[in-house]
Amino acid sequence: MAKRVAIVGAGVTGLASIKCCLEEGLKPTCFERSDDLGGLWRFTEHVEEGRASLYKSVVSNSCKEMSCYPDFPFPEDYPNYVPNSLFLDYLKMYANRFNLLECIQFKTKVCSVRKRPDFTATGQWEVVTLCEGRQESAIFDGVMVCTGYLTNPYLPLDSFPGINTFKGQYFHSREYKHPDIFRDKNVLVIGMGNSGTDIAVEASHLAKKVFLSTTGGAWVISRVFDSGYPWDMVFMTRFQNTFRNSLPTPIVNWLIARRMNSWFNHANYGLIPEDRVQLREPVLNDELPGRIITGKVLIKPRIKEVKENSVVFSNTPKEEPIDIIVFATGYTFAFPFLDETIVKVEDGQASLYKYIFPAHLPKPTLAVIGLIKPLGSLLPTGDTQARWAVRVLKGVIKLPPSSIMIEEVNERKQNKPSGFGLRYCKALETDYITYVDELLTAINAKPNLFSLLLTDPRLALAIFFGPCTPYQFRLTGPGKWEGARNAIMTQWDRTFKATKTRIVQESPSLFASLLKLFSFLALLVAIFLIFL
């Protein structure tokens, strides 16, 4: 009899988890508290309890070739960076293509997930759900939690003296939907993550004045990178990742700063990060420098005091009139349906082996999918997590003893610098390619570049020097996709199709031909040096 698996949430990782269960012959039941799939990517005019919320203008920060499911490319006519409405359409196509909807129970809230009395022997869970006022209980052999980390807004009002006297309007960025509310207002956005920057830029088109307050600064990059290519298709390659991780961290940080400042000098715009030793997630915004240089957005330091109709910043006694304050101060996360003895959240992280399994459970039958912030797309990361987790739930892969897993978790929490490569500043942040490769190796699905170099050198070169697109993750091993090679070899065609809407005839150039020849020779030398 197939093992029954309960999946909590029908967002991007929930859908991937359903499919991975079906691939391995398990019987998944997904509980989704709202009336449709999509999670974060389903826009609604009103904030829904227990579900991530986004604003109308949200566009993906990772391009379509880097953020698709590994065996399901985006339609080739989609733009490279996908608006939320099209992203939701894509998720629905995915669900229909793999018959996932029949496994989902909508409008069903998970109230509790508890160990069965015989858990140490069976590893089973009792899942209590609520649907249309009726409570039900069912027994499952495994549980996959796919609720994400963007549902509980962090609103540190105590850190802003005088906020209780403020007569204007203030709210968390989770409640923001449209920029109309900012028309002819003086607006202050606190927090310079992706949401805060987006909101400040949007507000600047309608508001009288916009201030963006940041305590630590941030690197800002454009989606449009070298030669107009998508940023992540240039930055996320196995070659560059290997190169970065082989260099001492100070040199990597210097190279990163040099690259980031090649667009504009961050110091001249008041944006340069105070902490340049640890890498904070860069801000993706194509407009911010233009709004700053035209005086539409003013970058400010931390808030010293909030008054009835104004604020005072820490570097000046001058009061700035403010009508609306937006707190883009991030999120906390929790699992209200789980007891703290199962998954305990402390200091913005949980004690999860490989960011997935509670390290102390005697039976590894509960997995948390998507509780990670890779420097890359969450969607293929979540798919790879689900593939590995499902094989653990099935019993094909055995985890190490609890003592070893706990030791690894504690080591990760300490975040000690290795001295090489990038150093991340937050516990959930990790190296995208290194992490995914670790999971792929565990399920024997990591592409073997040495073997491919002999049998399929064109593919090997595309995998190593080209963008690390998700298709690589389904090239081999369990869940292998037959179309993976073709998807890799045609990834640039789909990228250019979205932008080349006017065909331009280009005359052949002798210089370009010679340059290609020398580039090819340089690639061969690089391969020789790296694999020597």
Side-chain angles (χ1 to χ4, degrees), residues 239-251:
F239 170 70
Q240 288 208 42
N241 200 63
T242 302
F243 179 67
R244 282 192 294 267
N245 289 339
S246 65
L247 294 175
T249 299
I251 294 177

Side-chain angles (χ1 to χ4, degrees), residues 65-142:
E65 291 300 311
M66 299 293 284
S67 60
C68 63
Y69 287 109
D71 53 357
F72 194 72
F74 278 91
E76 62 178 17
D77 60 343
Y78 267 40
N80 283 306
Y81 291 95
V82 186
N84 64 83
S85 57
L86 288 180
F87 210 111
L88 179 61
D89 289 344
Y90 167 76
L91 295 178
K92 290 182 176 180
M93 292 178 210
Y94 179 79
N96 288 325
R97 167 65 180 80
F98 296 106
N99 300 315
L100 308 183
L101 291 174
E102 60 191 34
C103 301
I104 305 174
Q105 294 183 16
F106 293 106
K107 297 183 179 179
T108 305
K109 175 185 176 182
V110 173
C111 302
S112 66
V113 175
R114 297 191 185 97
K115 298 177 190 174
R116 292 272 292 160
D118 57 355
F119 180 82
T120 53
T122 65
Q124 290 184 328
W125 301 86
E126 180 183 11
V127 179
V128 177
T129 58
L130 181 67
C131 179
E132 297 180 347
R134 187 177 62 190
Q135 199 171 81
E136 292 184 355
S137 174
I139 307 302
F140 290 91
D141 301 297

Side-chain angles (χ1 to χ4, degrees), residues 473-494:
F473 310 153
R474 291 262 183 179
L475 192 62
T476 186
K480 172 183 176 180
W481 178 43
E482 295 300 328
R485 185 191 187 280
N486 182 62
I488 293 169
M489 302 309 293
T490 57
Q491 56 200 8
W492 286 111
D493 295 336
R494 288 187 299 280

Side-chain angles (χ1 to χ4, degrees), residues 56-243:
K56 185 68 173 177
S57 60
V58 164
V59 175
S60 65
N61 284 335
S62 185
C63 73
K64 66 178 181 180
E65 291 300 311
M66 299 293 284
S67 60
C68 63
Y69 287 109
D71 53 357
F72 194 72
F74 278 91
E76 62 178 17
D77 60 343
Y78 267 40
N80 283 306
Y81 291 95
V82 186
N84 64 83
S85 57
L86 288 180
F87 210 111
L88 179 61
D89 289 344
Y90 167 76
L91 295 178
K92 290 182 176 180
M93 292 178 210
Y94 179 79
N96 288 325
R97 167 65 180 80
F98 296 106
N99 300 315
L100 308 183
L101 291 174
E102 60 191 34
C103 301
I104 305 174
Q105 294 183 16
F106 293 106
K107 297 183 179 179
T108 305
K109 175 185 176 182
V110 173
C111 302
S112 66
V113 175
R114 297 191 185 97
K115 298 177 190 174
R116 292 272 292 160
D118 57 355
F119 180 82
T120 53
T122 65
Q124 290 184 328
W125 301 86
E126 180 183 11
V127 179
V128 177
T129 58
L130 181 67
C131 179
E132 297 180 347
R134 187 177 62 190
Q135 199 171 81
E136 292 184 355
S137 174
I139 307 302
F140 290 91
D141 301 297
V143 176
M144 301 178 79
V145 179
C146 307
T147 51
Y149 51 81
L150 298 175
T151 55
N152 301 329
Y154 175 60
L155 196 60
L157 297 181
D158 292 343
S159 301
F160 299 90
I163 188 66
N164 293 329
T165 66
F166 184 61
K167 291 186 176 180
Q169 181 183 4
Y170 69 84
F171 55 88
H172 191 273
S173 57
R174 169 177 163 80
E175 298 177 44
Y176 172 69
K177 296 294 179 179
H178 302 279
D180 298 348
I181 59 171
F182 300 132
R183 189 177 299 277
D184 300 325
K185 303 288 186 181
N186 293 306
V187 180
L188 167 62
V189 180
I190 300 174
M192 198 185 159
N194 283 302
S195 294
T197 306
D198 281 352
I199 293 169
V201 167
E202 282 199 359
S204 70
H205 291 279
L206 296 173
K208 186 187 300 182
K209 209 169 191 180
V210 176
F211 299 96
L212 178 56
S213 169
T214 173
T215 55
W219 294 121
V220 180
I221 62 176
S222 171
R223 293 175 175 85
V224 184
F225 223 53
D226 296 350
S227 301
Y229 299 142
W231 80 271
D232 40 351
M233 292 186 77
V234 175
F235 191 81
M236 297 290 178
T237 73
R238 291 184 180 277
F239 170 70
Q240 288 208 42
N241 200 63
T242 302
F243 179 67

Side-chain angles (χ1 to χ4, degrees), residues 404-469:
I404 294 177
M405 292 193 288
I406 291 171
E407 183 180 345
E408 183 175 314
V409 169
N410 290 336
E411 186 177 331
R412 188 191 76 227
K413 284 182 177 180
Q414 291 172 8
N415 195 24
K416 290 182 178 178
S418 67
F420 291 88
L422 294 170
R423 185 186 177 196
Y424 298 90
C425 66
K426 294 183 180 178
L428 294 181
E429 294 177 347
T430 190
D431 189 302
Y432 171 62
I433 296 176
T434 303
Y435 175 71
V436 170
D437 275 354
E438 193 177 331
L439 298 182
L440 291 175
T441 300
I443 61 174
N444 198 29
K446 181 185 175 183
N448 187 325
L449 287 175
F450 294 104
S451 175
L452 285 173
L453 201 56
L454 298 174
T455 60
D456 196 342
R458 281 190 64 215
L459 179 61
L461 291 173
I463 289 175
F464 189 68
F465 291 102
C468 188
T469 45

Side-chain angles (χ1 to χ4, degrees), residues 322-344:
I322 296 295
D323 302 303
I324 300 176
I325 300 176
V326 182
F327 287 91
T329 44
Y331 294 83
T332 59
F333 64 89
F335 305 102
F337 48 85
L338 288 174
D339 190 86
E340 279 198 353
T341 59
I342 300 170
V343 177
K344 187 175 183 179

